[in-house]
Amino acid sequence: MRKTIILFIVFCGFTMGARGQTIDLSGFPQETTASQLRYWFNNDVNIQTTSTLSGSTTIDASALVSGIHIVHYQVIDNLGIAGISASKLFFKLGESSATAASLHYWFDSDSKSVKSTDIASGTSAIDASVLMEGIHTIHYQVVDNKGIAGITASKIFFKARESSTTAASLRYWFDSDVKGVKTTDIASGATTIDAAALVEGIHTIHYQVVDNHGVAGIPVSRMFMKVSAKTITATAIQYWFDVNDALIKESAITNLSTTIDASSVGQGEHTLHYQLKFSDGTLSPSSSATFETTQTLEGDANNDQKVNVADIVVIQVFVDDNTKSIHGANADVTGDGIIDKNDVEAVKDMIITPKE
């Protein structure tokens, strides 16, 4: 009861204290509306603001070139408070009314000597008179009728000395052997490069076209791989069973096939390890496969598909030295898990007399 009375008194006191005075709500959030949009493109700090924002607005992207851009933006409410910034990727398409008007271009690494030529007619001649003979690279940009330049493209070309100048020979060397420069004739338009001295593997060829006046162009480099010209075939297979890699056997491969002799392993699951032997004497990486052997003839301890005195001899070996593993068919003829005299007697009873 005491607890209830105290709470009632506090509540009444709060009610009485609020009578006859105004409660200040200025610290509480007030309802606002989106009014404007602040935005900028990519890494350009030139911030722009829309005049109004009534559910949707149009952003002016006319100054951007065609391609992928990022717009960063903030919504500003009617109290002038800006929200957190957000970003969006977008792709600007070229305007349908835009047409190619001119071409900006420069040669090799001389990006400070940009030239321009009119291409409104669809074609234009490039002035390469300042270049020396040889291989060069032209970099160019198409500029539309609005003054917007496209992305830069590059092409390699060969400048000949004059109309009577023709490619006559090719100077070349491999890798870093700059002292081993060789020359071959290319007047016919084609030639064969002698790479016989190189080992198999990846190499780089450096070459220069030399014209009929003896003027060499700039060097060009290309990577290539030299492979062996020898024909290598698999001649045999080397193999062993389980973990006994000391007993490696070899079987010749004929017509892409061979036979594996598994007569030395006992009954049950085993692992075959094998690798190919090639005609050049090398070996392939080893591979493995599991298989299972079964006893097809009871009492055939040596797995020769016959039950005879030879099986007694095999079993007797295990009786005399029970540390040896079981080879061939199961020598435990009685199936009691022990190889002993009982298995010898059992085989004697099972020996089949050969027919005359």
Side-chain angles (χ1 to χ4, degrees):
M1 177 64 71
R2 181 179 299 172
K3 190 174 192 179
T4 304
I5 292 173
I6 292 173
L7 292 175
F8 176 73
I9 292 172
V10 172
F11 178 76
C12 291
F14 176 80
T15 305
M16 293 172 60
R19 293 175 180 174
Q21 60 182 352
T22 302
I23 300 175
D24 184 9
L25 298 177
S26 60
F28 290 83
Q30 300 182 37
E31 181 179 358
T32 60
T33 58
S35 176
Q36 294 177 304
L37 193 73
R38 299 173 69 242
Y39 66 94
W40 63 99
F41 298 105
N42 305 322
N43 296 322
D44 186 2
V45 294
N46 181 24
I47 298 176
Q48 304 178 60
T49 305
T50 61
S51 57
T52 58
L53 184 64
S54 56
S56 63
T57 189
T58 300
I59 292 177
D60 180 15
S62 60
L64 300 178
V65 299
S66 302
I68 297 176
H69 299 277
I70 302 176
V71 59
H72 312 277
Y73 58 92
Q74 293 175 293
V75 176
I76 303 175
D77 64 16
N78 56 330
L79 300 178
I81 300 175
I84 60 174
S85 62
S87 302
K88 293 290 183 182
L89 277 168
F90 69 95
F91 185 83
K92 180 184 178 184
L93 297 173
E95 300 180 18
S96 58
S97 60
T99 57
S102 61
L103 190 76
H104 291 173
Y105 66 95
W106 64 97
F107 298 106
D108 303 325
S109 59
D110 189 14
S111 57
K112 294 182 179 180
S113 300
V114 179
K115 297 182 179 181
S116 181
T117 183
D118 180 74
I119 57 172
S121 62
T123 60
S124 180
I126 300 298
D127 180 15
S129 59
V130 297
L131 299 178
M132 60 177 292
E133 295 76 13
I135 297 176
H136 297 274
T137 302
I138 181 174
H139 312 277
Y140 58 92
Q141 293 174 295
V142 175
V143 182
D144 64 18
N145 55 340
K146 298 180 182 295
I148 298 175
I151 61 174
T152 304
S154 301
K155 294 291 184 182
I156 293 177
F157 67 96
F158 181 82
K159 180 188 176 183
R161 173 178 291 185
E162 53 190 26
S163 58
S164 60
T165 301
T166 58
S169 61
L170 191 75
R171 299 176 69 248
Y172 65 94
W173 62 98
F174 298 106
D175 304 324
S176 58
D177 186 17
V178 293
K179 294 182 179 180
V181 177
K182 298 181 179 180
T183 303
T184 182
D185 180 76
I186 58 171
S188 61
T191 188
T192 301
I193 301 297
D194 180 14
L198 300 179
V199 298
E200 288 80 10
I202 297 176
H203 297 275
T204 302
I205 181 174
H206 313 277
Y207 59 91
Q208 293 173 291
V209 175
V210 183
D211 64 19
N212 54 337
H213 298 283
V215 179
I218 62 173
V220 178
S221 301
R222 291 286 185 271
M223 293 186 72
F224 69 96
M225 174 176 283
K226 180 184 177 183
V227 297
S228 176
K230 297 180 293 185
T231 301
I232 300 176
T233 59
T235 58
I237 185 172
Q238 292 187 352
Y239 63 95
W240 62 97
F241 299 103
D242 303 323
V243 296
N244 196 356
D245 55 3
L247 298 176
I248 297 178
K249 298 183 179 181
E250 185 170 301
S251 177
I253 295 178
T254 305
N255 297 326
L256 301 180
S257 64
T258 189
T259 301
I260 300 297
D261 179 14
S263 62
S264 62
V265 300
Q267 179 181 354
E269 188 175 276
H270 298 277
T271 301
L272 169 69
H273 307 279
Y274 61 93
Q275 56 190 26
L276 294 176
K277 183 177 181 180
F278 298 109
S279 55
D280 63 350
T282 59
L283 296 172
S284 71
S286 61
S287 300
S288 301
T290 58
F291 67 97
E292 185 174 357
T293 61
T294 58
Q295 183 178 353
T296 57
L297 184 61
E298 186 178 3
D300 182 16
N302 63 355
N303 200 22
D304 63 354
Q305 305 304 313
K306 294 181 291 185
V307 180
N308 52 26
V309 177
D311 298 302
I312 298 176
V313 175
V314 171
I315 297 175
Q316 189 64 49
V317 171
F318 296 109
V319 173
D320 296 338
D321 183 3
N322 58 14
T323 63
K324 295 182 179 293
S325 59
I326 301 174
H327 294 281
N330 192 356
D332 181 17
V333 182
T334 60
D336 59 359
I338 303 173
I339 303 175
D340 53 19
K341 296 291 184 181
N342 293 331
D343 297 300
V344 176
E345 296 302 322
V347 172
K348 287 181 180 179
D349 295 336
M350 296 171 63
I351 290 178
I352 302 173
T353 305
K355 294 182 180 181
E356 299 293 336

